[in-house]
Amino acid sequence: MDRTPVWFLRQAGRYMQEYREVRKHHTLVEICKQPDLAAEVTITAAEKLGVDAAIIFADLLLPLEPMGLDFEFQAGEGPVVHHPVRTAADVFALRTDRTGDLAYVARAIEKVASHFRHRLGIIGFCGAPYTLASYMIEGGGSRNYIHTKQMMYRDSLSWRSLLDKIVVVLTEYCRSRCRLAPRSSKSSTAGWVRSRSPTTRIMPSRRRNAWCARCSRWACR
C-alpha cells in the first residue's frame, strides 16, 4: 500500500450544503434505500473532498430490517430499535434468508462504480457482529450495554445463536456488494468490547466475519 488510508465513517454529511438539501426531503434511511440518492451523495462528497476513494453512503444497521427488526433515527436519540431482542424466542424469530432485501445498496454501488470507473476506489463498510447485536439487544445506543451483557453471560446459547445469525447475514451482504465494486471494507465494533473484551464470547464470530470480508475483497480484485 503506497498511501496510509484515513477513515471517515461517512464522507457525506451536514457540513455539505448539497447533503443538507437532500436531507430536507429525505431521512437518512430513505437516502440509503434509494440508489439514485445514495449514489448522488456518495459521488458529491468524494468529488468535493478530492479523496482517493468514495465511501458508499449506507448505515451499519441496514441489515436489521431483513432480519425482522424495524428501526428509525429519532432526533436527539440516534437509532431506535422498536422491538429489542431480549429472549431466546426473540433470537429464534430472526430471519437470515432475506439479505436480498438489501439489494438497494448494491444498486447504489453500481451507479457509483459506473460514474467513477477506474478513477477512484470504492469503500464499503458493515457493523461487526457484536455491534449489531448490541443495538438489537439494547434497542439503540448504550454506554453500559447492560442488556447485552446479561444475555452474553446468563444465556450464552441465545448469545451465540444471535451472533451466528448476524454473521450469516453479514457474509452474504458483504459478498453481494463486493462482487460489484468495493476494493476495501471495514467493520466497526461497539466501544465496550475494545477495552474489556470477553474474547471467548465475541472473537469467534468476529474472526468469522473478518474471514468472510477478506474472501469478499479477494473476489473483486
Side-chain angles (χ1 to χ4, degrees), residues 16 18 57 88 94 149 155-157 159 171 179 181 211:
M16 291 172 47
E18 298 90 338
F57 190 88
L94 294 173
K149 294 173 187 176
D155 189 358
S156 59
L157 288 178
W159 172 252
T171 298
R179 290 187 192 109
W211 173 255

Side-chain angles (χ1 to χ4, degrees), residues 48-80:
K48 187 167 188 174
L49 293 171
V51 291
D52 298 316
I55 300 175
I56 292 296
F57 190 88
D59 190 83
L60 300 177
L61 300 186
L62 294 179
L64 268 60
E65 283 194 343
M67 295 185 74
L69 297 178
D70 292 329
F71 71 94
E72 64 177 330
F73 286 87
Q74 295 183 354
E77 297 291 334
V80 175

Side-chain angles (χ1 to χ4, degrees), residues 31-43 56-57 108 112:
I31 297 173
C32 292
K33 289 185 174 182
Q34 298 185 43
D36 287 338
L37 288 177
E40 175 189 335
V41 296
T42 298
I43 292 167
I56 292 296
F57 190 88
V112 174

